[in-house]
PDB file of all heavy atoms in Angstrom:
ATOM      1  N   SER Y 994       4.183  10.668 -12.346  1.00 83.00           N
ATOM      2  CA  SER Y 994       5.458  10.399 -12.044  1.00 83.00           C
ATOM      3  C   SER Y 994       5.922  10.898 -10.776  1.00 83.00           C
ATOM      4  O   SER Y 994       5.393  11.997 -10.284  1.00 83.00           O
ATOM      5  CB  SER Y 994       6.442  10.951 -13.189  1.00 83.00           C
ATOM      6  OG  SER Y 994       6.297  12.238 -13.221  1.00 83.00           O
ATOM      7  N   GLN Y 995       6.720  10.264  -9.973  1.00 86.00           N
ATOM      8  CA  GLN Y 995       7.128  10.776  -8.606  1.00 86.00           C
ATOM      9  C   GLN Y 995       8.168  11.944  -8.788  1.00 86.00           C
ATOM     10  O   GLN Y 995       9.124  11.748  -9.614  1.00 86.00           O
ATOM     11  CB  GLN Y 995       7.774   9.679  -7.797  1.00 86.00           C
ATOM     12  CG  GLN Y 995       8.241  10.009  -6.498  1.00 86.00           C
ATOM     13  CD  GLN Y 995       8.824   8.869  -5.641  1.00 86.00           C
ATOM     14  OE1 GLN Y 995       8.191   7.834  -5.584  1.00 86.00           O
ATOM     15  NE2 GLN Y 995       9.963   9.178  -5.013  1.00 86.00           N
ATOM     16  N   THR Y 996       8.072  13.012  -8.215  1.00 90.00           N
ATOM     17  CA  THR Y 996       8.866  14.123  -8.284  1.00 90.00           C
ATOM     18  C   THR Y 996       9.692  14.371  -7.054  1.00 90.00           C
ATOM     19  O   THR Y 996      10.811  14.968  -7.300  1.00 90.00           O
ATOM     20  CB  THR Y 996       8.132  15.380  -8.655  1.00 90.00           C
ATOM     21  OG1 THR Y 996       7.147  15.804  -7.485  1.00 90.00           O
ATOM     22  CG2 THR Y 996       7.360  15.291  -9.886  1.00 90.00           C
ATOM     23  N   LEU Y 997       9.346  13.944  -5.818  1.00 92.00           N
ATOM     24  CA  LEU Y 997      10.012  14.200  -4.575  1.00 92.00           C
ATOM     25  C   LEU Y 997       9.596  13.308  -3.547  1.00 92.00           C
ATOM     26  O   LEU Y 997       8.306  12.784  -3.493  1.00 92.00           O
ATOM     27  CB  LEU Y 997       9.854  15.609  -4.225  1.00 92.00           C
ATOM     28  CG  LEU Y 997      10.605  16.162  -2.897  1.00 92.00           C
ATOM     29  CD1 LEU Y 997      12.144  16.120  -3.178  1.00 92.00           C
ATOM     30  CD2 LEU Y 997      10.176  17.480  -2.479  1.00 92.00           C
ATOM     31  N   GLN Y 998      10.371  12.865  -2.596  1.00 92.00           N
ATOM     32  CA  GLN Y 998       9.930  12.028  -1.465  1.00 92.00           C
ATOM     33  C   GLN Y 998      10.661  12.469  -0.206  1.00 92.00           C
ATOM     34  O   GLN Y 998      11.908  12.802  -0.214  1.00 92.00           O
ATOM     35  CB  GLN Y 998      10.203  10.549  -1.631  1.00 92.00           C
ATOM     36  CG  GLN Y 998       9.645   9.733  -0.509  1.00 92.00           C
ATOM     37  CD  GLN Y 998       9.556   8.257  -0.881  1.00 92.00           C
ATOM     38  OE1 GLN Y 998      10.583   7.569  -0.880  1.00 92.00           O
ATOM     39  NE2 GLN Y 998       8.383   7.723  -1.218  1.00 92.00           N
ATOM     40  N   ILE Y 999       9.924  12.793   0.828  1.00 95.00           N
ATOM     41  CA  ILE Y 999      10.545  13.358   2.045  1.00 95.00           C
ATOM     42  C   ILE Y 999      10.388  12.335   3.156  1.00 95.00           C
ATOM     43  O   ILE Y 999       9.275  12.008   3.522  1.00 95.00           O
ATOM     44  CB  ILE Y 999       9.687  14.729   2.374  1.00 95.00           C
ATOM     45  CG1 ILE Y 999       9.827  15.805   1.356  1.00 95.00           C
ATOM     46  CG2 ILE Y 999      10.202  15.297   3.666  1.00 95.00           C
ATOM     47  CD1 ILE Y 999       8.936  16.888   1.493  1.00 95.00           C
ATOM     48  N   ASP Y1000      11.489  12.040   3.714  1.00 93.00           N
ATOM     49  CA  ASP Y1000      11.453  11.115   4.774  1.00 93.00           C
ATOM     50  C   ASP Y1000      12.211  11.811   6.162  1.00 93.00           C
ATOM     51  O   ASP Y1000      13.366  11.649   6.353  1.00 93.00           O
ATOM     52  CB  ASP Y1000      12.434   9.846   4.523  1.00 93.00           C
ATOM     53  CG  ASP Y1000      12.409   8.658   5.554  1.00 93.00           C
ATOM     54  OD1 ASP Y1000      11.649   8.900   6.472  1.00 93.00           O
ATOM     55  OD2 ASP Y1000      12.965   7.730   5.289  1.00 93.00           O
ATOM     56  N   ASN Y1001      11.294  12.528   6.835  1.00 95.00           N
ATOM     57  CA  ASN Y1001      11.749  13.396   7.828  1.00 95.00           C
ATOM     58  C   ASN Y1001      11.170  13.129   9.137  1.00 95.00           C
ATOM     59  O   ASN Y1001      11.653  13.511  10.171  1.00 95.00           O
ATOM     60  CB  ASN Y1001      11.597  14.862   7.440  1.00 95.00           C
ATOM     61  CG  ASN Y1001      12.326  15.794   8.317  1.00 95.00           C
ATOM     62  OD1 ASN Y1001      11.844  16.153   9.360  1.00 95.00           O
ATOM     63  ND2 ASN Y1001      13.503  16.171   7.927  1.00 95.00           N
ATOM     64  N   HIS Y1002      10.019  12.613   9.134  1.00 96.00           N
ATOM     65  CA  HIS Y1002       9.246  12.246  10.393  1.00 96.00           C
ATOM     66  C   HIS Y1002       9.617  10.785  10.905  1.00 96.00           C
ATOM     67  O   HIS Y1002       9.954   9.901  10.086  1.00 96.00           O
ATOM     68  CB  HIS Y1002       7.725  12.352  10.097  1.00 96.00           C
ATOM     69  CG  HIS Y1002       7.199  13.724  10.101  1.00 96.00           C
ATOM     70  ND1 HIS Y1002       7.037  14.544  11.258  1.00 96.00           N
ATOM     71  CD2 HIS Y1002       6.708  14.445   9.056  1.00 96.00           C
ATOM     72  CE1 HIS Y1002       6.592  15.682  10.977  1.00 96.00           C
ATOM     73  NE2 HIS Y1002       6.346  15.665   9.641  1.00 96.00           N
ATOM     74  N   SER Y1003       9.471  10.701  12.259  1.00 95.00           N
ATOM     75  CA  SER Y1003       9.854   9.475  12.844  1.00 95.00           C
ATOM     76  C   SER Y1003       8.568   8.553  13.072  1.00 95.00           C
ATOM     77  O   SER Y1003       8.643   7.542  13.682  1.00 95.00           O
ATOM     78  CB  SER Y1003      10.603   9.624  14.103  1.00 95.00           C
ATOM     79  OG  SER Y1003       9.801  10.424  15.078  1.00 95.00           O
ATOM     80  N   ASP Y1004       7.398   9.007  12.671  1.00 96.00           N
ATOM     81  CA  ASP Y1004       6.219   8.189  12.842  1.00 96.00           C
ATOM     82  C   ASP Y1004       5.134   8.598  11.738  1.00 96.00           C
ATOM     83  O   ASP Y1004       5.596   9.416  10.912  1.00 96.00           O
ATOM     84  CB  ASP Y1004       5.528   8.530  14.244  1.00 96.00           C
ATOM     85  CG  ASP Y1004       4.838   7.290  14.729  1.00 96.00           C
ATOM     86  OD1 ASP Y1004       4.247   6.617  13.908  1.00 96.00           O
ATOM     87  OD2 ASP Y1004       4.725   7.186  16.004  1.00 96.00           O
ATOM     88  N   TRP Y1005       4.042   8.069  11.761  1.00 97.00           N
ATOM     89  CA  TRP Y1005       3.068   8.272  10.716  1.00 97.00           C
ATOM     90  C   TRP Y1005       2.850   9.849  10.419  1.00 97.00           C
ATOM     91  O   TRP Y1005       2.940  10.603  11.264  1.00 97.00           O
ATOM     92  CB  TRP Y1005       1.730   7.792  11.175  1.00 97.00           C
ATOM     93  CG  TRP Y1005       1.595   6.334  11.443  1.00 97.00           C
ATOM     94  CD1 TRP Y1005       2.518   5.526  11.308  1.00 97.00           C
ATOM     95  CD2 TRP Y1005       0.353   5.829  11.902  1.00 97.00           C
ATOM     96  NE1 TRP Y1005       2.019   4.234  11.777  1.00 97.00           N
ATOM     97  CE2 TRP Y1005       0.665   4.429  12.026  1.00 97.00           C
ATOM     98  CE3 TRP Y1005      -0.915   6.184  12.147  1.00 97.00           C
ATOM     99  CZ2 TRP Y1005      -0.251   3.422  12.399  1.00 97.00           C
ATOM    100  CZ3 TRP Y1005      -1.809   5.270  12.593  1.00 97.00           C
ATOM    101  CH2 TRP Y1005      -1.420   3.917  12.734  1.00 97.00           C
ATOM    102  N   VAL Y1006       2.785  10.191   9.067  1.00 98.00           N
ATOM    103  CA  VAL Y1006       2.456  11.546   8.644  1.00 98.00           C
ATOM    104  C   VAL Y1006       0.968  11.523   8.463  1.00 98.00           C
ATOM    105  O   VAL Y1006       0.318  10.921   7.642  1.00 98.00           O
ATOM    106  CB  VAL Y1006       3.155  11.816   7.324  1.00 98.00           C
ATOM    107  CG1 VAL Y1006       2.895  13.313   7.077  1.00 98.00           C
ATOM    108  CG2 VAL Y1006       4.623  11.621   7.503  1.00 98.00           C
ATOM    109  N   MET Y1007       0.355  12.289   9.433  1.00 98.00           N
ATOM    110  CA  MET Y1007      -1.192  12.235   9.566  1.00 98.00           C
ATOM    111  C   MET Y1007      -1.885  13.120   8.448  1.00 98.00           C
ATOM    112  O   MET Y1007      -3.027  12.856   8.057  1.00 98.00           O
ATOM    113  CB  MET Y1007      -1.628  12.575  10.922  1.00 98.00           C
ATOM    114  CG  MET Y1007      -0.943  11.674  11.971  1.00 98.00           C
ATOM    115  SD  MET Y1007      -1.629  10.059  12.243  1.00 98.00           S
ATOM    116  CE  MET Y1007      -3.044  10.449  13.047  1.00 98.00           C
ATOM    117  N   ALA Y1008      -1.291  14.286   8.316  1.00 98.00           N
ATOM    118  CA  ALA Y1008      -1.965  15.281   7.290  1.00 98.00           C
ATOM    119  C   ALA Y1008      -0.848  16.215   6.747  1.00 98.00           C
ATOM    120  O   ALA Y1008       0.281  16.367   7.284  1.00 98.00           O
ATOM    121  CB  ALA Y1008      -2.904  16.104   8.234  1.00 98.00           C
ATOM    122  N   ILE Y1009      -1.194  16.762   5.574  1.00 98.00           N
ATOM    123  CA  ILE Y1009      -0.384  17.696   4.908  1.00 98.00           C
ATOM    124  C   ILE Y1009      -1.184  18.910   4.290  1.00 98.00           C
ATOM    125  O   ILE Y1009      -2.379  18.788   4.095  1.00 98.00           O
ATOM    126  CB  ILE Y1009       0.434  16.954   3.799  1.00 98.00           C
ATOM    127  CG1 ILE Y1009      -0.586  16.045   2.999  1.00 98.00           C
ATOM    128  CG2 ILE Y1009       1.574  16.278   4.307  1.00 98.00           C
ATOM    129  CD1 ILE Y1009       0.015  15.333   1.886  1.00 98.00           C
ATOM    130  N   ALA Y1010      -0.524  19.940   4.052  1.00 97.00           N
ATOM    131  CA  ALA Y1010      -1.190  21.109   3.349  1.00 97.00           C
ATOM    132  C   ALA Y1010      -0.246  21.931   2.707  1.00 97.00           C
ATOM    133  O   ALA Y1010       0.962  22.170   3.090  1.00 97.00           O
ATOM    134  CB  ALA Y1010      -1.764  21.925   4.499  1.00 97.00           C
ATOM    135  N   PHE Y1011      -0.573  22.412   1.534  1.00 97.00           N
ATOM    136  CA  PHE Y1011       0.214  23.300   0.731  1.00 97.00           C
ATOM    137  C   PHE Y1011      -0.022  24.804   1.091  1.00 97.00           C
ATOM    138  O   PHE Y1011      -1.155  25.100   1.364  1.00 97.00           O
ATOM    139  CB  PHE Y1011      -0.149  23.158  -0.844  1.00 97.00           C
ATOM    140  CG  PHE Y1011       0.458  21.904  -1.485  1.00 97.00           C
ATOM    141  CD1 PHE Y1011      -0.375  20.705  -1.464  1.00 97.00           C
ATOM    142  CD2 PHE Y1011       1.706  21.816  -2.029  1.00 97.00           C
ATOM    143  CE1 PHE Y1011       0.121  19.632  -2.116  1.00 97.00           C
ATOM    144  CE2 PHE Y1011       2.136  20.737  -2.544  1.00 97.00           C
ATOM    145  CZ  PHE Y1011       1.349  19.618  -2.761  1.00 97.00           C
ATOM    146  N   SER Y1012       1.121  25.518   0.954  1.00 96.00           N
ATOM    147  CA  SER Y1012       0.918  27.030   1.198  1.00 96.00           C
ATOM    148  C   SER Y1012       0.263  27.604  -0.114  1.00 96.00           C
ATOM    149  O   SER Y1012       0.274  27.042  -1.074  1.00 96.00           O
ATOM    150  CB  SER Y1012       2.261  27.668   1.401  1.00 96.00           C
ATOM    151  OG  SER Y1012       3.199  27.527   0.280  1.00 96.00           O
ATOM    152  N   LYS Y1013      -0.262  28.845   0.108  1.00 94.00           N
ATOM    153  CA  LYS Y1013      -1.052  29.479  -1.023  1.00 94.00           C
ATOM    154  C   LYS Y1013      -0.182  29.839  -2.183  1.00 94.00           C
ATOM    155  O   LYS Y1013      -0.514  29.788  -3.312  1.00 94.00           O
ATOM    156  CB  LYS Y1013      -1.760  30.746  -0.388  1.00 94.00           C
ATOM    157  CG  LYS Y1013      -2.687  30.667   0.737  1.00 94.00           C
ATOM    158  CD  LYS Y1013      -3.845  29.721   0.295  1.00 94.00           C
ATOM    159  CE  LYS Y1013      -4.792  29.532   1.347  1.00 94.00           C
ATOM    160  NZ  LYS Y1013      -5.992  28.722   1.017  1.00 94.00           N
TER     161      LYS Y1013
END
Side-chain angles (χ1 to χ4, degrees):
S994 60
Q995 182 178 312
T996 58
L997 182 68
Q998 190 165 76
I999 301 170
D1000 186 1
N1001 193 279
H1002 282 287
S1003 61
D1004 211 332
W1005 299 358
V1006 184
M1007 309 282 284
I1009 42 181
F1011 285 94
S1012 62
K1013 301 298 181 182

